[in-house]
Amino acid sequence: MKDFLFNRWVLVVPRMLIGAVFVYAGGTKLIDPGQFADNIASFQILPDSTINVLATGLPPTEILAGLMMALGWRHLTANLTVLILTAVFAVALAQGLARGLQIDCGCFGSGNPSPTSTWISLGRDILLFAASLWIYLAGFRSKKEGQN
Amino acid sequence: MPILEELADHLPLVRDSSRKKLNRVVNFRSLWKNVAKHSFQTLILATAGFGVGFTVNQLRDKPLPLVYESKELRLEKAVAHLAAPKQQPKATSDILLPQRVTLEQLQQFIKEKRGLVFDARSGRLYRFGHIPGAFSLPLADFENAYKRYQTELERDRAQPLIVYCSNAHCAYSTLVQKSLQELGYSNVAIFAGGWSEWQENGLPEESKQ
């Protein structure tokens, strides 16, 4: 089973899928950075001086990381970027849910802010994190005994 | 191959230890060694991403300012730019709307063409789908959007107007209602159920792609 799960060809599909998801997510935010800035503000964790900086810089970073993952160019670096981003998003969403905030996560552009949609976003984010972690760890697969 | 990695490959395997079992699958020595390298490359990737982001922002028609301004503050500024009348309008319409209207009231309102309906969501969401006959008055671009309907609106500041956004949780319709009231419109109501309730009831939609 582990041979299958860590097979480099098996990993190509999820890697490309995660890459595509990040390219799409970055693209929707890049179209409307003002909306994305409002979404970041709804989390109520960052000072106003940093919100627009993130709203302008984060979407191209997501697109770059997504493209690198999908195309397989320095994909482990892109994979680590995706891991860091999904971990940060999960913490931000969880704190919003814990504080009972009306968050529009803005993960894929603007949506309908509601507690249900925030739980769905958190679940999706954790799934992306787990899949990225699996791909990242698979990049460091131990060699079998007797293998050079 | 570096000596450390070679050593790790030849370490004896202890079957009853889960950590060792995991070590048989993932080469953690190699992983920790590369995490630092990948972190540094991630930093370069993020720098490139932010660089592209700032360049793209500067090329936009309306670049985002360096410091964020809340929706409420932006709306206040937009309203301040648009001249509000000093006198309250006299009621010229026989329809006096409550602060909030239900789906049935909205349907009746549209059917009998009693006044104007405004969509306070972003222009992009409006284009994807909106209530038939509704006009786009997005909170994010309130000043410019308002100017498009200014002549029609200012003919009668007591005319009935209904504003909606995504659903009962969104604040856009309340903010736009407040701004319209500050601009002198006395007969503005909210359809709280918004686009979600309209869609859930399978009512006709209009889109502009």
Side-chain angles (χ1 to χ4, degrees):
Chain A
M1 183 66 179
K2 77 184 179 211
D3 283 345
F4 176 76
L5 283 176
F6 277 48
N7 184 296
R8 59 182 295 197
W9 297 111
V10 172
L11 292 166
V12 168
V13 176
R15 183 163 58 75
M16 289 180 84
L17 275 176
I18 294 173
V21 166
F22 265 74
V23 171
Y24 175 71
T28 55
K29 291 167 191 159
L30 194 66
I31 290 168
D32 195 351
Q35 179 64 58
F36 183 44
D38 285 338
N39 294 336
I40 298 174
S42 73
F43 285 87
Q44 299 179 22
I45 39 175
L46 290 171
D48 288 355
S49 54
T50 58
I51 290 172
N52 279 2
V53 175
L54 267 182
T56 45
L58 209 53
T61 308
E62 283 186 354
I63 294 172
L64 272 178
L67 277 176
M68 283 164 70
M69 264 196 94
L71 300 175
W73 183 70
R74 291 191 184 276
H75 70 91
L76 286 176
T77 301
N79 205 326
L80 188 67
T81 312
V82 167
L83 269 176
I84 295 168
L85 287 174
T86 45
V88 171
F89 294 158
V91 171
L93 286 164
Q95 69 81 35
L97 278 169
R99 288 162 66 195
L101 300 175
Q102 284 297 336
I103 292 176
D104 178 2
C105 98
C107 313
F108 300 96
S110 182
N112 296 335
S114 72
T116 321
S117 71
T118 313
W119 276 109
I120 293 170
S121 302
L122 183 62
R124 193 176 49 206
D125 190 70
I126 290 170
L127 201 71
L128 277 172
F129 178 83
S132 312
L133 187 66
W134 160 43
I135 298 169
Y136 191 70
L137 290 179
F140 298 95
R141 191 190 169 179
S142 291
K143 290 185 177 88
K144 283 177 186 169
E145 285 175 83
Q147 193 178 345
N148 287 318
Chain B
M1 181 190 279
I3 297 167
L4 274 177
E5 276 184 46
E6 206 166 343
L7 272 173
D9 284 347
H10 291 92
L11 278 176
L13 304 171
V14 183
R15 292 189 182 280
D16 58 350
S17 158
S18 58
R19 193 179 159 186
K20 289 283 180 188
K21 277 180 184 168
L22 195 61
N23 270 320
R24 284 168 63 195
V25 182
V26 178
N27 184 345
F28 280 95
R29 275 174 197 272
S30 168
L31 188 146
W32 293 126
K33 221 174 91 178
N34 279 290
V35 161
K37 187 181 89 184
H38 292 151
S39 301
F40 178 69
Q41 289 174 347
T42 291
L43 209 63
I44 296 173
L45 192 157
T47 310
F50 275 71
V52 171
F54 287 119
T55 313
V56 170
N57 189 46
Q58 291 310 310
L59 297 172
R60 289 182 196 277
D61 289 341
K62 284 171 72 182
L64 275 187
L66 201 60
V67 178
Y68 174 76
E69 286 179 339
S70 70
K71 296 191 277 277
E72 292 82 357
L73 187 64
R74 293 201 307 268
L75 207 53
E76 264 177 42
K77 282 187 176 177
V79 170
H81 278 134
L82 301 160
K86 290 191 176 123
Q87 287 180 338
Q88 281 296 308
K90 286 175 188 165
T92 51
S93 169
D94 55 346
I95 307 156
L96 191 62
L97 292 173
Q99 283 288 300
R100 282 163 181 261
V101 293
T102 61
L103 179 64
E104 290 71 30
Q105 286 172 318
L106 174 68
Q107 282 180 286
Q108 192 72 14
F109 183 86
I110 294 169
K111 195 177 162 191
E112 294 171 8
K113 294 181 180 168
R114 293 179 181 177
L116 304 174
V117 180
F118 287 105
D119 186 325
R121 300 173 303 155
S122 71
R124 196 159 54 88
L125 288 177
Y126 172 83
R127 283 192 295 278
F128 279 140
H130 55 263
I131 294 174
F135 296 101
S136 177
L137 189 59
L139 179 134
D141 192 26
F142 183 82
E143 191 176 345
N144 289 325
Y146 175 82
K147 282 176 182 168
R148 282 203 295 272
Y149 318 114
Q150 197 163 8
T151 319
E152 175 65 25
L153 281 167
E154 287 181 352
R155 271 212 304 236
D156 178 7
R157 286 187 193 258
Q159 64 179 305
L161 308 171
I162 294 178
V163 188
Y164 72 91
C165 53
S166 296
N167 55 28
H169 297 289
C170 74
Y172 289 15
S173 53
T174 319
L175 290 167
V176 169
Q177 179 196 39
K178 194 169 156 247
S179 303
L180 287 170
Q181 285 168 341
E182 280 170 21
L183 285 167
Y185 297 93
S186 60
N187 206 0
V188 191
I190 288 173
F191 167 49
W195 180 237
S196 297
E197 194 181 339
W198 186 269
Q199 272 190 313
E200 280 162 15
N201 283 278
L203 294 166
E205 300 177 10
E206 195 174 78
S207 60
K208 282 175 187 169
Q209 292 289 346

